[in-house]
Amino acid sequence: MQPGEVFSDLGAHDWAKADILYLYEKGIVSGVSNNSFKPESNVKREEFVKMLVEALEIPISGNNSGFFDSANGAWYEKYLSAAKESGIVNGRADGSFGVGNTITRQDMAVMMHRALSVMNKLPNAQNKAQNFSDSND
């Protein structure tokens, strides 16, 4: 590891290193352990919520989220609570959030849309995304 390097496992990911380090410096990502980021790992639902809450500076109240699969006092609980209170996440019909599950692109898009809506920052009709060839996936 080079002096001043935060994560020792970004060597093969030079294309993303500057962005990862920027997000780390802003407190939006923190890695999975000391000196390890695991850049090829899938993002879990609670990890994405933490990134969204931190990036958008959504106020954290410290309340319990109320999701039955969220452990009180877990590192992610305050982020789930903040996202739920602000209307960004609702959870699943059974009262769970899906803690530990890999997040889908669809769920990321829904959460980002809700967050932008709550913040009154939805793009206007001229800025709508084009159809993508893999949109059905």
Side-chain angles (χ1 to χ4, degrees):
M1 191 161 71
Q2 300 296 320
E5 192 171 314
V6 178
F7 302 116
S8 62
D9 57 353
L10 298 181
H13 304 282
D14 285 337
W15 60 272
K17 188 174 183 176
D19 295 321
I20 291 168
L21 295 176
Y22 173 80
L23 294 173
Y24 172 78
E25 290 170 6
K26 297 291 184 186
I28 297 168
V29 299
S30 55
V32 296
S33 66
N34 289 341
N35 301 333
S36 180
F37 186 76
K38 302 260 185 203
E40 294 184 21
S41 293
N42 291 323
V43 175
K44 304 291 184 212
R45 291 173 54 82
E46 62 275 18
E47 293 169 337
F48 183 76
V49 167
K50 185 232 183 209
M51 289 186 266
L52 197 57
V53 166
E54 289 289 359
L56 299 175
E57 299 176 345
I58 295 168
I60 295 175
S61 67
N63 295 332
N64 186 299
S65 69
F67 297 119
F68 77 77
D69 60 340
S70 178
N72 195 18
W75 68 265
Y76 53 80
E77 177 62 20
K78 63 184 179 182
Y79 302 110
L80 294 185
S81 178
K84 185 176 182 182
E85 288 175 13
S86 65
I88 295 171
V89 300
N90 298 321
R92 296 180 173 164
D94 67 358
S96 69
F97 177 73
V99 171
N101 295 342
T102 299
I103 193 162
T104 64
R105 290 186 292 175
Q106 177 180 332
D107 287 346
M108 282 190 248
V110 168
M111 288 180 202
M112 287 187 292
H113 182 271
R114 287 181 184 157
L116 293 172
S117 179
V118 164
M119 299 175 75
N120 292 320
K121 295 189 180 219
L122 283 174
N124 61 35
Q126 295 174 348
N127 295 332
K128 286 191 175 178
Q130 301 294 317
N131 287 331
F132 294 98
S133 61
D134 64 348
S135 61
N136 289 331
D137 296 335

